[in-house]
Amino acid sequence: MRRILAVSLVVVTSGSLLTACTADASPSAVSVGWVGAAKNSVRVTWKDADAPNRITIEGVLSEGPSYVQYLPATQPNSWDIPTSAFPPDGNYRVVVTNGTTKEGLTGKPAKSPVFDTDGSVRPSSAFAVAQGRGVLIRWAVPAAPQDFTPNDPLDVDGPKAQKYVPMIGRPGSQPAPIGPGTTSPRQVINSIKPPFLFQLRTENEWSSNLGGQVVGLTSSATVFVPPRAQYSLPVRVRGRVVLQETFCAAETNCALQQTTSAGIPLTVLTQVTPKARWSPVARGKTTAGGHYDIPVVTAGSRPYKVVASPYAKPGVLTSESASPAVFTRAVVRLLAGGYLGGNNKKRGEMVTIFARVAPASTSVATLQLWNRQTRRWQSVKLVALRRGQAVFGFKINAVGTYSYRWVLPPAASGGRNMDGLTTPKLDLRIRP
């Protein structure tokens, strides 16, 4: 009985000693602080009995550690963690525990105070407008998020006004700063033309952000206008505006790529006379895919071209471009033509044939009759065309069906000629 009791006492005593050693070996007094003025790493310090340690970064709202580092017992109770190892925009703490990869963890973990890794506030809503030979860019700075760990060990003392470094990317090179950091929400860039990519870079001790982007685009326009169009009727001026933008991928040179956009304002220009200034006759905008379709009333034989105006919206600035000029030759338009009182007449009754055209010019029109024997049109009368109207009266004494037509002469407008017009046949029925 004594022997059994003695063994029991030994076991109990050994258990008491193991618990005491484990408790004594647990780390304590874990603290964190920046290393140097550059703040490129965080120094962790703690107290323990020179045991091997495991260092981890633990999220307040996450379970698994995002960083694990084992240290031998010979390592002083200090370790520097690079800033890049900390996840951005969250609340974290550093945990120190005794243990090794082979024997596992012993003792209780010790934790540092909670601190945040909130990054710099990304600028937004950048807007650019042309200013002289350069560009004026404005941007907005959102309010900083609420600090849920005020005065934590890694907060930076002093003013926290963010500086924004303006950067420009051009085809063939990577984005590069064009000036020092500024706290102003505006930047004037002199002597710059699209294509370019403007960005703002801001950073704090934890991370760097890019925002406030403006894409400077160049445009090119194509145009199609019918080669002939009737005077005073609308024609459709159609075409497309294609944009070239600067695209900058990470760690590579920027390149040009093609794109399109809806909503680009367009102006259709014409020359009223051969040496006149180009003046606007219609306006419109691009639709999806950069296409456009603008009606323009034909006012004579004229050239037309389309100008894509400078266009700005948040994040986008386009330069002006013009299509090549395309010439449309006008054709005299028949407004009305036929027989007064209808085309059914009695034999020997007076027949009055007429035509009214635009423009209302004064000239000479030709009345022609279809000859069934020769199967050809035969001119029967030259009729004065006064202010765009031609009228001729005659009688027919033979019953039958006759076909007449007008050959309307060319006209002139704005110092340019327009083509004449031959009307469709006008049938006339003569009854007994």
Side-chain angles (χ1 to χ4, degrees):
M1 185 69 179
R2 291 178 181 176
R3 184 177 182 181
I4 296 174
L5 180 60
V7 173
S8 301
L9 290 173
V10 171
V11 172
V12 173
T13 303
S14 299
S16 301
L17 292 175
L18 179 60
T19 304
C21 292
T22 302
D24 292 340
S26 296
S28 61
V30 179
S31 62
V32 291
W34 292 110
V35 178
K39 299 180 176 61
N40 293 324
S41 58
V42 174
R43 179 162 295 169
V44 184
T45 59
W46 65 93
K47 295 179 180 180
D48 68 2
D50 296 330
N53 302 115
R54 187 185 78 158
I55 311 296
T56 61
I57 299 174
E58 179 184 276
V60 174
L61 300 178
S62 61
E63 296 180 357
S66 60
Y67 172 90
V68 178
Q69 178 68 45
Y70 283 89
L71 304 176
T74 56
Q75 171 72 31
N77 293 343
S78 174
W79 181 251
D80 293 347
I81 304 176
T83 308
S84 58
F86 290 87
D89 299 325
N91 296 321
Y92 299 91
R93 53 195 168 198
V94 177
V95 181
V96 181
T97 311
N98 288 345
T100 64
T101 55
K102 293 182 179 180
E103 298 176 0
L105 302 179
T106 60
K108 296 180 179 180
K111 302 180 180 182
S112 73
V114 176
F115 53 89
D116 67 76
T117 60
D118 294 339
S120 51
V121 180
R122 186 190 306 272
S124 63
S125 302
F127 191 88
V129 293
Q131 180 170 296
R133 296 183 178 180
V135 174
L136 168 63
I137 301 179
R138 295 188 178 94
W139 61 89
V141 181
Q146 181 180 353
D147 186 356
F148 292 98
T149 60
N151 302 315
D152 70 53
L154 297 178
D155 273 351
V156 178
D157 297 331
K160 297 183 180 180
Q162 290 190 140
K163 287 188 176 182
Y164 297 94
V165 179
M167 304 178 68
I168 288 291
R170 294 183 176 89
S173 62
Q174 296 187 24
I178 58 171
T182 176
T183 57
S184 171
R186 53 178 285 160
Q187 177 77 31
V188 177
I189 308 175
N190 295 317
S191 301
I192 186 173
K193 294 181 179 180
F196 64 82
L197 177 66
F198 174 85
Q199 293 177 323
L200 291 166
R201 184 183 68 199
T202 183
E203 58 187 25
N204 65 1
E205 61 276 10
W206 292 110
S207 62
S208 177
N209 271 324
L210 285 174
Q213 180 170 290
V214 173
V215 181
L217 305 166
T218 58
S219 63
S220 60
T222 59
V223 64
F224 171 78
V225 181
R228 287 164 56 92
Q230 289 193 49
Y231 181 85
S232 74
L233 288 182
V235 295
R236 313 300 299 192
V237 178
R238 297 183 174 94
R240 190 183 188 197
V241 177
V242 176
L243 305 174
Q244 296 285 342
E245 70 174 349
T246 301
F247 174 75
C248 300
E251 300 181 359
T252 60
N253 288 342
C254 302
L256 277 179
Q257 67 180 14
Q258 181 174 300
T259 185
T260 58
S261 179
I264 297 177
L266 304 173
T267 305
V268 181
L269 303 178
T270 190
Q271 282 182 308
V272 178
T273 60
K275 296 184 179 181
R277 296 177 56 187
W278 288 91
S279 56
V281 291
R283 301 183 187 275
K285 292 183 179 181
T286 58
T287 57
H291 298 278
Y292 64 87
D293 186 340
I294 305 172
V296 176
V297 175
T298 305
S301 299
R302 295 179 179 181
Y304 296 95
K305 66 180 179 180
V306 172
V307 174
S309 304
Y311 175 60
K313 67 178 182 179
V316 174
L317 176 68
T318 64
S319 63
E320 182 179 276
S321 66
S323 73
V326 179
F327 192 83
T328 294
R329 191 171 184 87
V331 179
V332 172
R333 179 188 173 194
L334 178 66
L335 299 177
Y339 303 94
L340 292 179
N343 65 340
N344 198 331
K345 305 292 183 180
K346 289 183 180 181
R347 182 176 59 184
E349 182 181 356
M350 178 63 69
V351 178
T352 302
I353 189 171
F354 72 94
R356 188 168 73 252
V357 299
S361 59
T362 298
S363 184
V364 176
T366 302
L367 182 64
Q368 293 183 337
L369 171 67
W370 177 251
N371 190 316
R372 290 188 178 89
Q373 283 73 35
T374 62
R375 303 189 63 82
R376 296 177 62 182
W377 289 98
Q378 178 182 347
S379 298
V380 295
K381 185 66 175 178
L382 296 178
V383 181
L385 183 69
R386 296 185 177 91
R387 295 182 180 180
Q389 295 190 46
V391 181
F392 177 67
F394 58 96
K395 293 180 181 181
I396 297 180
N397 295 317
V399 176
T401 300
Y402 301 85
S403 297
Y404 290 88
R405 73 177 185 182
W406 289 103
V407 178
L408 303 169
S413 176
R416 299 186 183 94
N417 293 330
M418 62 178 69
D419 293 341
L421 175 70
T422 300
T423 68
K425 66 177 183 177
L426 305 170
D427 290 334
L428 174 66
R429 295 177 180 86
I430 302 298
R431 67 182 188 273

